[in-house]
Amino acid sequence: MFAAGLGTLAPMPAFAHPMPGVGDFYAGMLHPVITIETVLPLVAFSLLAGQQRRETAVYLLATFPAALIVGALLATRGDAPAYLGVVQLTLTAGFGVLVALARRVPSWLLIALGTVLGISVGWGNSTEVFGQVSRFRFVAGLAVVGLLLLVYGNGLVRNLKREWTQIAVRVVGSWIATVSILVLGLR
């Protein structure tokens, strides 16, 4: 009993990132979708992309995974800045508001905001894992999951034909915005 209590006072490193039974590629795919602060901006961005013109959505399919890769490569230079969490929360709130409004956004603005989101998500998710996993497989998994989320959210919104389903997407956008603004307020 005493040894167990003493063991809790001197914890060992967790080494949580190399997931047993999960390869480095799949770790790259799983890492951004297991935390709410990373998955919410990705979902909001994909829903917003689905509400835009087809050409804009196609550009995002190319630029967003590339931005994730650039962000992951920035992680090789050192730790992510502390303000990346605030950047992601601010973008999440903005994307949620834009989804709720269901308005068209200029292509250049959406591509620029998507690039900022991709860089911040890629950088924030890659900083702590590069010493423990294969860098190239992890980054490839990260880019693939970003592309898949964008494709699925985009396809979901574009295939909703009934009016109430489009309203439901707008409601989800408002909830995402609300959660993000509340968390920003708590910071």
Side-chain angles (χ1 to χ4, degrees), residues 51-177:
Q51 293 176 332
Q52 305 306 308
R53 286 182 214 82
R54 185 177 185 280
E55 297 80 27
T56 303
V58 169
Y59 289 137
L60 291 173
L61 292 176
T63 58
F64 187 67
L68 285 168
I69 292 169
V70 168
L73 293 176
L74 284 172
T76 62
R77 301 185 57 137
D79 288 339
Y83 61 82
L84 277 184
V86 174
V87 168
Q88 286 181 14
L89 280 171
T90 304
L91 287 172
T92 306
F95 292 150
V97 167
L98 290 172
V99 169
L101 293 174
R103 298 279 191 259
R104 303 269 187 207
V105 179
S107 295
W108 64 269
L109 179 61
L110 195 58
I111 290 169
L113 292 174
T115 300
V116 172
L117 176 66
I119 289 172
S120 67
V121 168
W123 197 350
N125 276 281
S126 302
T127 299
E128 58 199 33
V129 299
F130 276 166
Q132 303 172 24
V133 297
S134 167
R135 183 174 299 158
F136 300 108
R137 285 184 280 227
F138 183 87
V139 171
L142 182 67
V144 167
V145 79
L147 178 64
L148 287 175
L149 284 172
L150 194 57
V151 166
Y152 286 134
N154 193 344
L156 171 80
V157 172
R158 289 186 184 283
N159 288 319
L160 297 176
K161 302 299 181 208
R162 295 197 173 139
E163 187 175 335
W164 71 267
T165 57
Q166 295 168 3
I167 292 171
V169 169
R170 294 176 69 183
V171 169
V172 168
S174 70
W175 290 346
I176 290 173

